[in-house]
Amino acid sequence: AQSVTQLGSHVSVSEGALVLLRCNYSSSVPPYLFWYVQYPNQGLQLLLKYTSAATLVKGINDFEAEFKKSETSFHLTKPSAHMSDAAEYFCAVINTGGFKTIFGAGTRLFVKA
Amino acid sequence: NAGVTQTPKFQVLKTGQSMTLQCAQDMNHEYMSWYRQDPGMGLRLIHYSVGAGITDQGEVPNGYNVSRSTTEDFPLRLLSAAPSQTSVYFCASRDPRDTQRNYGYTFGSGTRLTVV
């Protein structure tokens, strides 16, 4: 069975600092991996996805994530945080050809001025 | 605008009442799912459907029913509401043939349900 673990329920960074949100996955087959973002009182939006092509994936708003099979990780990064990045971020996994998407518990990002 | 529409946005129920959360999408997506979101637990899959007439259970199906009579609609029924069902409910859809989004979901804006 697939699972996703997000390390840290809350992360706080200063504006302009590096953002690093951690995600580790468990899957018996090559996974499809996703990051979603949720702004307050809204649904989730797809930020980026990994689908077995390039291991470094670029998404919207300068976010990117790197798939590392040896570490079973898919960490999300952004070089310079903006106040508008404050939101909750979810890592998710789905098996290739699978029907179910499994989400992590989420990491809330706070950005300090 | 095309997307996933959920109604109502807010609902308060008394214990034991039943109700249906509505979900409709106009993107001709085959796959639709219902999730509940609770603090510290992320999103948990309640039920999902891979096409009209086909539904299956997710991680937390107890107390909920679904049906998929059309591609567009995927209602979620609470049979006898309990306080443990207080949550935010999200409907999501995706098209497995969409190579641009590659299995990524489009989410509705959610229904905030309180059971008292």
Side-chain angles (χ1 to χ4, degrees):
Chain A
Q2 312 81 42
S3 66
V4 170
T5 302
Q6 292 185 240
L7 302 177
S9 59
H10 297 84
V11 170
S12 182
V13 300
S14 298
E15 193 172 21
L18 171 71
V19 175
L20 171 61
L21 304 182
R22 300 177 187 273
C23 172
N24 288 89
Y25 71 90
S26 172
S27 177
S28 58
V29 297
Y32 282 10
L33 293 159
F34 304 85
W35 277 99
Y36 288 83
V37 60
Q38 184 182 33
Y39 299 102
N41 300 315
Q42 294 186 24
L44 281 70
Q45 302 173 31
L46 183 63
L47 197 56
L48 51 78
K49 59 188 185 296
Y50 165 76
T51 56
S52 74
T55 57
L56 183 63
V57 180
K58 294 186 184 298
I60 60 175
N61 298 335
D62 295 328
F63 280 96
E64 63 182 34
E66 186 172 9
F67 173 70
K68 292 186 176 180
K69 184 178 179 180
S70 61
E71 299 177 7
T72 61
S73 69
F74 190 56
H75 302 332
L76 181 70
T77 61
K78 181 173 179 176
S80 176
H82 293 167
M83 297 296 290
S84 60
D85 295 327
E88 190 155 20
Y89 293 80
F90 293 91
C91 184
V93 64
I94 183 173
N95 272 26
T96 305
F99 304 129
K100 301 179 185 180
T101 300
I102 305 300
F103 287 84
T107 298
R108 186 167 295 278
L109 176 66
F110 297 92
V111 182
K112 300 174 291 185
Chain B
N1 291 337
V4 179
T5 302
Q6 290 185 239
T7 56
K9 293 191 183 301
F10 301 93
Q11 183 70 50
V12 179
L13 288 179
K14 294 182 179 179
T15 297
Q17 286 184 316
S18 63
M19 79 159 294
T20 298
L21 307 185
Q22 301 292 343
C23 175
Q25 52 93 7
D26 57 3
M27 298 170 286
N28 202 31
H29 285 176
E30 290 185 14
Y31 291 6
M32 296 185 74
S33 297
W34 276 103
Y35 288 88
R36 59 177 290 173
Q37 182 179 22
D38 302 290
M41 304 189 74
L43 279 76
R44 292 181 291 169
L45 182 63
I46 304 172
H47 286 284
Y48 66 98
S49 168
V50 298
I54 307 170
T55 63
D56 205 347
Q57 297 180 351
E59 305 167 78
V60 289
N62 291 341
Y64 307 94
N65 275 352
V66 292
S67 60
R68 185 93 181 272
S69 56
T70 66
T71 299
E72 294 77 21
D73 299 301
F74 191 43
L76 177 72
R77 297 183 187 84
L78 279 70
L79 309 174
S80 177
S84 61
Q85 293 179 304
T86 294
S87 186
V88 181
Y89 291 84
F90 287 100
C91 180
S93 72
R94 63 184 177 92
D95 182 352
R97 301 159 298 182
D98 183 353
T99 56
Q100 194 73 6
R101 288 179 64 85
N102 285 119
Y103 295 89
Y105 272 123
T106 298
F107 277 83
S109 57
T111 295
R112 187 174 297 274
L113 176 69
T114 302
V115 182
V116 297

